[in-house]
Each structure stands twice: as C-alpha cells, then as structure tokens.
Amino acid sequence: MELKKVIKAEKLDEVLNLLAENRERAKVIAGGTDFVIQLREKKIAPEVIIDISDVDELNFIRKSGEFIEIGAATKFTTIKNSGIISDAFKGLKDAAGHVGSPQIRNLGTVGGNICNGSPAADTVPALLALGAVAVVKSKNNTREVPLEEFYLDRGKVKLEPDEILYAVKFLNSKPGQGLGFVKLGLRNALAISSISIAVFVETDNDINCKDVRIGSGALAKFPIREKEVEAFLKGKTLHEDVIEEATEFFGKILEQRLAGRPPVEKDYKPYAIKGVFKEALNKALSVVC
Amino acid sequence: MKKRGKGIACIFYGTGYGNGFPDVSRAYAELQPDGKVAIYTGATEVGQGAKTALSQIPAEVLGLSVDDIIFINEDTSITPDAGTAAATRQTYNTGNAIKMAAEELRNELIKIAVKELELNSDIGLKMKDGKIFLEIYPDKCITFSQIAAMQEEPLRKFAVFTAQTVQIDPETGQGAPYWPYTFSACAVEVEVDTETGKVEVIRGAHAQDVGRAVNPTLIEGQMDGGFAMAMGYVIYEDLGLENGKIWNNKLSSYIIPTSMDMPEIQNIIVEDPENTAPYGAKGIGEPVMISVGPAILNAIYDAVGVRMTEIPVTPAKLLKAIREKEQKEA
Ligand SMILES: Cc1cc2nc3c(=O)[nH]c(=O)nc-3n(C[C@H](O)[C@H](O)[C@H](O)COP(=O)(O)OP(=O)(O)OC[C@H]3O[C@@H](n4cnc5c(N)ncnc54)[C@H](O)[C@@H]3O)c2cc1C
C-alpha cells in the first residue's frame, strides 16, 4: 500500500473512528521508535498512519480503585519518574528506565512496547509479573485481556484491525509485596536485552513465599510468565538454598527450551539466567514493605 | 558473584610508514595581505585535531596567535602532498614540514625587516603579533602586512620533510625500521560477574609519552577515545562471523561502548621531547589504544583466573570459560 495520509489525532474518539473506517489500511504510530524503522525497512506499508502520541486520553498514570492504570501512550520517562507507582513496584520504573537511551525513553511508549511484540520488550516482563491486564478499545467496544494472553507470536498481538491498546492496569501494591527487575544487555545503555527478568513476590514476615509471578524477556518468542519456576517457589520459604535450587531449575528449563536456538542463546542463556534471576528475586525481596 | 581484578600493560609503537619507505610531507607557508599566514598542506583532518595542532606549530614559529594562521589542507588542487592521516605520522611528519616552511618564511621576513628598518644586523629583532621590532628600541618596527604590501607576488616558502627510517634486513630482521617510537602504559580495574560473564571496566589510568604536548586537551581527548575504542575492541565489538557471514551487521548488534560504559580514566601525559620532532612532539594517534586491551585481559585474568586468548571477550565466551574452569576444578 502506498502511504496516503498521516493524521495527527487529538482525541481518542477520532482515533477509534479512523480505525473503524480504515481498518487494515491504517496503523497507529505512538513514539515511532519501532514503527519508523519498520516503515523504512518496508516491513509495514500502511495507507493511513494515525499518530496517537499527543492524545491526552491515552497519556496517564492513575489510581483507579484498587488498580494502577497506565495509558498506552505514556512515555517511558513518565513511568520512570512516576510518583504514583509505589516503591514496592519500583521494578516497573526500573524496567522503563532501562529502555534504550534518554532520547528513546522520551519518545517510546508502553503501548508501543507491548504492541510491537518484541521478545526483548523491557517493560513487558515487569507488567507480566504484576499480572497486568490489557484494556483494549474499539469504536463500539471495550474489552480486557490478561497481558499474558495478549501475545500471539513474535511481533503479533491479539488486536483486531479496528482496535487499539488503551491502557494496562494492575493491582496496586499491598504490604508484603515487591517487584524486582533486572536486564542483562551487552552494554549499559542502548542495549537490546539478552535476558530480562521481573519477579513479583508476596511474602509474610518469615519470607514464606505466599505468591510469586515471574515475567521473562528474550527467553521465548515473546515475553512470557515462567510458571514452572513460579510453582517451584510458591509456598516455600525463600532461604538462600531454596533460591539457589530455583535458579538451577530455571536453568534446566531453559536448556530444554533453547536447545534448538543458535549457540549465542543455547550455550549462554541457561547459565546466565542464574545470576539475573537471583538478582531480580533479591531486588523484589529488598523492596517488600 | 562479582569479582574484581587489576591488570597492567605497556607498549612501544613506531611512528610513520617505516621500514625505509619514503615517508614525505610537504608544506607551504605564505604571507597574506592582511599579515596573516596561510599554511598549505595535504594533511587530512579526520577528527583527530590535525588542523589545530598543525596551526599551533607555525603560530609558535612566527609569533602569531593560532587565529592568524589560515590552515588550508583539504583541497588537493592547491595543497602539496603530505601523505596520509595514518601511521600516527601527521604531527611528527607534517608538523616538521610546516615548521620548516614557517621557519623559512620567518628568515625571509627578518631579512626584509633588516633591510627596510636599515639595521646593522638581525641581532635583537623580535617577531610578535604580526610585527617585527627591535627589542632595545621598539619604534624600529615593521608589520607583516606592511611587508606583504611591498610584494609583487605573495611571499611563499616551501619545505619537505622526509622521515629517517631504514629497511630491516629481511634475513636477520635487524635494522632501524621506525623513528621515533612512543611509549604508553595502562592500568585498569575490572569487575566480572561470574554468573553472567559480563565485564565492567570500573576505572583506568593511562599514561602516554607524547614527546611534547602541543595541545594537552586534544591529547586527553585522543586518550579517552583510544581507551573507549580499545574497550570496544576487547569486550564488545563482535562481528558474529560464521562461515563468512557477518551476523552483527548493524550498529544495534555490533556494539561499541557508550558513555554509560566508560569508566573514569586518569590520563597521564609524559613529556620527553624527541629531538627530530617539531618542538619535540611525537604522534599519539594509534598508541593510545594499544596498551588498554592487554591491560583489560590481564585484569580479567586477575579477577577470575581465566586467560582469554580470543577477543572480543563477550559475556557468552567468558561465562563458558569460567564454567569450564569451575568444572575442571570440581
Ligand atoms: C535506539 C533504540 C533503542 C531501543 N531500546 C529499547 C530497549 O532497550 N528496550 C525496549 O524494550 N525497547 C527498545 N527499543 C524499542 C522501542 O523503543 C520500544 O519498543 C518502544 O516501546 C516502542 O514504543 P513507541 O511508542 O515508539 O511505538 P511505535 O514505534 O510508535 O509503535 C510500535 C508498534 O506498536 C503499535 N502501537 C503503538 N501504540 C499502540 C496502541 N496504543 N495500540 C495499538 N497498537 C499500538 C504500532 O502500530 C507499531 O506496530 C529501542 C528502539 C530504538 C530505536
């Protein structure tokens, strides 16, 4: 398709109407930090581009009842500096703060991070560990999907042509909960994650693991929950030896999962995971309040 | 676990094309109507600061400020050949040619001043800020622009400098293939994450013999850059070559260090003037990079006890080596 129109939207209604009208012919652009590259490489060729980056209704971080909601067009810098996200969930701010560089964080959005469907999207493991839900809107409908069910394949999410991701939401932190995030990249800035891990824990005073959720990046076709490791930890007391065992177990799972991958992955990630996972879990425990 | 280690390395480096190869630089120094001096030379500025350093040298010779040197160097139709910006040779080689041309121009200006000021000799004549004057009686004074106005053709001097090197004996390897040599040393401390194989260089000290520091700020810039480039070479830059195919064929996967990866570096400039060099200044283009790599490798060895013999030491390679060592020991 030849590009015919770029529309800078100001209102959510306008976006949804344009999508209903143009469907497959249209694509939304937020920060453009993935989109523009794909456009230039001719991997996408929309006829209509709808710019949502300045739609105020998509740009917010707010408390809503028991939930924290983040609008899809909220930028990483805003998330990184948010006073609404609690210290216990600092891991989410860390994840946003680990994206690319200041320039990328000033443009890139959480909605773009999710919808682009990259396995190495940095905020997604944190959101998965928080048990986040995607709020999807179209002209006549609003629906909610658990984020872990939102992915179809590498680069593909469950959105109809007339839908956008409106927001993500998750339960606000409670005493005893904490979120830790660790990214392993090849350098300290502008690095694509080799591995990223977010761990959510809920413990009592005796570090008994009442609940745990682990989100991982760059370990599968898209960011996923590591449910086997979660099951291993749940109900156990998080002493060092238990953490060590869980770490070994995680490595074993990856040895199997990545067996068919190129050497840079299969000969590295099952081992490197151990340090990353331990650090993420310890970070989570350190922010539990 | 994070383990720290320290490493040092030192090197010497021969400047120029070397091995008897004709290493020639040429330059003109030309008086301008407004009393400024233009230098024409085919030395390329590639970001290293050649234009600055090579303007400072004639300014020093002629008692001018750098602003009064007009440096013309990137138009081959009007500049004489001065060889490549390579082999760490421009400051030394072309610096010498420019210095010689500027000295010839200086001598000519003095000769004209003696004549025009009706002096007995050139004793006690000073050259400063575009004026030539008698130190004991400054009223006896003529300016560069006055001299320029007297000329029918612009006053222009030419000089050639050819470095002295000797081809080595192909059978014995004996000879004097380079001159001059520069020396440098580096010390680094690294932190190795033994669980991910990631190496972080946490601080460094870097000493470079420069002969004479024509421009200390530029030298420090070159040293910082050399350090970063060596870090990239030794722990980051991986082509991902597999059966002739380069996998890391873009800058998102073929990575170099960013400012976030660079440690604090203490740069130490060592001045030991070289008598064949312009004001003693030797080239420091390439040598600033060389000692950093082996220092990092030595520090890794000190930290985790594995001797890495292939670069770059990517986290994957280092983690593998660490695990193999642990398995052997177990
Ligand atoms: C130099 C550089 C470094 C980077 N570093 C990192 C990094 O460290 N970590 C990381 O995770 N990412 C990184 N990225 C990737 C990118 O910045 C992120 O994925 C970012 O979140 C994309 O958001 P965006 O707003 O720019 O999305 P866009 O590029 O505008 O859009 C991306 C995709 O999402 C779709 N989309 C966007 N918003 C919505 C919505 N609300 N509803 C439906 N679909 C939508 C678009 O149609 C498009 O398909 C980097 C990119 C660059 C260029």
Side-chain angles (χ1 to χ4, degrees):
Chain A
M1 278 186 278
E2 199 186 328
L3 181 60
K4 295 202 172 127
K5 251 195 232 171
V6 180
I7 301 159
K8 181 141 184 80
E10 283 171 4
K11 293 271 168 224
L12 181 57
D13 275 351
E14 192 186 345
V15 175
L16 299 177
N17 284 333
L18 281 165
L19 279 175
E21 220 173 277
N22 292 286
R23 295 185 64 91
E24 284 87 351
R25 277 178 289 143
K27 241 178 132 32
V28 298
I29 183 171
T33 58
D34 284 318
F35 190 100
V36 173
I37 295 167
Q38 292 160 9
L39 200 64
R40 291 188 63 153
E41 289 177 347
K42 301 199 162 51
K43 287 184 184 151
I44 51 172
E47 209 170 283
V48 180
I49 295 177
I50 307 164
D51 180 357
I52 60 167
S53 61
D54 276 332
V55 176
D56 288 342
E57 291 151 277
L58 293 170
N59 184 3
F60 57 82
I61 301 178
R62 66 185 173 217
K63 272 194 187 125
S64 169
E66 296 183 280
F67 287 91
I68 300 284
E69 291 184 348
I70 304 178
T74 307
K75 295 179 169 61
F76 295 118
T77 302
T78 313
I79 297 173
K80 175 176 175 249
N81 298 329
S82 167
I84 294 170
I85 299 166
S86 69
D87 288 347
F89 288 173
K90 184 173 165 294
L92 177 59
K93 298 195 231 183
D94 287 349
H98 270 99
V99 174
S101 60
Q103 296 91 327
I104 296 297
R105 293 194 290 273
N106 285 338
L107 276 174
T109 65
V110 64
N113 209 213
I114 295 169
C115 295
N116 192 56
S118 159
D122 279 323
T123 58
V124 180
L127 290 166
L128 287 171
L130 289 171
V133 169
V135 184
V136 174
K137 274 191 193 288
S138 59
K139 190 175 175 185
N140 300 315
N141 193 26
T142 300
R143 65 186 176 97
E144 295 190 354
V145 202
L147 191 57
E148 55 176 293
E149 290 166 22
F150 195 53
Y151 285 92
L152 286 167
D153 202 347
R154 182 188 288 264
K156 275 214 174 68
V157 290
K158 276 188 205 159
L159 280 178
E160 294 300 319
D162 63 340
E163 287 180 325
I164 64 159
L165 179 67
Y166 165 72
V168 277
K169 63 179 200 179
F170 49 86
L171 284 171
N172 202 355
S173 62
K174 293 194 187 76
Q177 297 181 339
L179 180 76
F181 174 84
V182 171
K183 166 174 176 170
L184 178 65
L186 287 173
R187 61 180 168 194
N188 293 332
L190 279 170
I192 299 168
S193 284
S194 305
I195 299 178
S196 58
I197 293 289
V199 178
F200 164 92
V201 281
E202 184 172 347
T203 62
D204 59 21
N205 289 339
D206 300 320
I207 54 167
N208 292 316
C209 178
K210 285 163 63 183
D211 200 4
V212 59
R213 286 188 296 263
I214 301 163
S216 72
L219 296 180
K221 280 191 280 191
F222 42 79
I224 59 168
R225 285 271 296 275
E226 298 290 350
K227 296 213 166 153
E228 289 162 280
V229 189
E230 292 175 8
F232 181 90
L233 282 171
K234 217 167 179 170
K236 297 210 169 93
T237 308
L238 298 175
H239 288 310
E240 220 169 279
D241 51 338
V242 171
I243 295 178
E244 206 60 49
E245 261 180 80
T247 302
E248 288 297 322
F249 182 57
F250 205 158
K252 287 275 171 313
I253 290 171
L254 292 188
E255 265 177 56
Q256 286 172 10
R257 188 189 299 161
L258 302 175
R261 303 290 302 164
V264 282
E265 293 197 38
K266 77 174 164 62
D267 294 343
Y268 181 58
K269 293 183 179 182
Y271 313 103
I273 185 66
K274 297 173 189 174
V276 179
F277 174 63
K278 244 189 289 182
E279 193 183 335
L281 178 54
N282 284 325
K283 270 193 178 174
L285 290 170
S286 75
V287 292
V288 167
C289 45
Chain B
M1 201 195 310
K2 294 200 168 150
K3 288 190 170 173
R4 288 192 175 187
K6 290 177 182 162
I8 60 169
C10 51
I11 63 108
F12 71 108
Y13 175 87
T15 306
Y17 299 150
N19 205 26
F21 191 83
D23 193 343
V24 185
S25 285
R26 302 169 183 84
Y28 288 108
E30 184 187 83
L31 185 64
Q32 304 298 290
D34 58 3
K36 294 185 177 182
V37 170
I39 301 294
Y40 292 81
T41 189
T44 311
E45 171 65 56
V46 290
Q48 82 280 43
K51 277 185 171 170
T52 308
L54 296 179
S55 298
Q56 285 178 258
I57 290 170
E60 184 74 19
V61 172
L62 293 158
L64 292 173
S65 84
V66 177
D67 294 339
D68 291 328
I69 300 294
I70 298 159
F71 197 79
I72 298 159
N73 68 327
E74 274 142 6
D75 184 342
T76 52
S77 71
I78 53 168
T79 59
D81 184 13
T84 53
T88 298
R89 59 181 289 287
Q90 285 295 6
T91 301
Y92 177 75
N93 237 73
T94 306
N96 264 324
I98 290 172
K99 180 160 179 274
M100 287 158 67
E103 282 166 351
E104 297 247 348
L105 182 63
R106 182 181 207 281
N107 293 343
E108 186 66 31
L109 290 167
I110 295 277
K111 224 189 279 171
I112 294 169
V114 169
K115 187 165 158 253
E116 295 299 326
L117 297 173
E118 297 170 344
L119 298 172
N120 294 333
S121 79
D122 59 8
I123 297 300
L125 265 185
K126 278 265 163 188
M127 189 178 275
K128 191 95 195 102
D129 299 332
K131 292 186 196 115
I132 304 169
F133 56 95
L134 204 51
E135 213 173 4
I136 51 167
Y137 182 45
D139 283 0
K140 276 281 181 198
C141 173
I142 187 166
T143 64
F144 283 16
S145 50
Q146 283 169 328
I147 294 175
M150 295 168 191
Q151 313 300 319
E152 279 170 24
E153 291 279 311
L155 207 55
R156 177 180 239 233
K157 292 291 172 185
F158 177 68
V160 186
F161 177 81
T162 304
Q164 186 68 274
T165 64
V166 182
Q167 197 177 0
I168 55 166
D169 184 316
E171 292 200 354
T172 64
Q174 295 297 301
Y178 289 98
W179 195 262
Y181 287 90
T182 73
F183 303 86
S184 64
C186 180
V188 299
E189 184 167 12
V190 301
E191 188 171 86
V192 179
D193 187 327
T194 58
E195 285 172 314
T196 62
K198 212 177 157 185
V199 175
E200 192 113 19
V201 180
I202 51 181
R203 62 192 176 121
H206 195 194
Q208 177 65 48
D209 159 37
V210 303
R212 169 81 73 202
V214 172
N215 190 313
T217 307
L218 280 180
I219 289 171
E220 282 209 51
Q222 188 73 8
M223 291 176 79
D224 287 344
F227 196 103
M229 193 166 163
M231 259 175 69
Y233 180 54
V234 171
I235 56 179
Y236 294 102
E237 294 174 44
D238 183 9
L239 281 175
L241 201 59
E242 228 181 81
N243 300 324
K245 186 175 158 60
I246 291 173
W247 285 100
N248 295 332
N249 59 356
K250 46 189 173 192
L251 289 168
S252 53
S253 51
Y254 182 85
I255 62 167
I256 61 172
T258 69
S259 58
M260 299 293 283
D261 305 291
M262 276 290 281
E264 193 68 38
I265 302 159
Q266 184 193 355
N267 290 317
I268 302 158
I269 297 174
V270 177
E271 290 191 287
D272 179 19
E274 154 61 33
N275 64 13
T276 66
Y279 296 110
K282 298 193 276 193
I284 55 115
E286 292 151 295
V288 292
M289 182 187 165
I290 306 172
S291 62
V292 181
I296 294 173
L297 294 175
N298 286 338
I300 293 172
Y301 178 70
D302 186 44
V304 291
V306 284
R307 182 52 80 186
M308 297 303 284
T309 54
E310 185 191 298
I311 54 170
V313 182
T314 58
K317 276 194 231 168
L318 184 54
L319 185 62
K320 188 158 176 266
I322 293 171
R323 289 183 52 241
E324 279 167 2
K325 177 173 179 281
E326 282 169 357
Q327 278 160 5
K328 226 184 265 169
E329 283 166 1

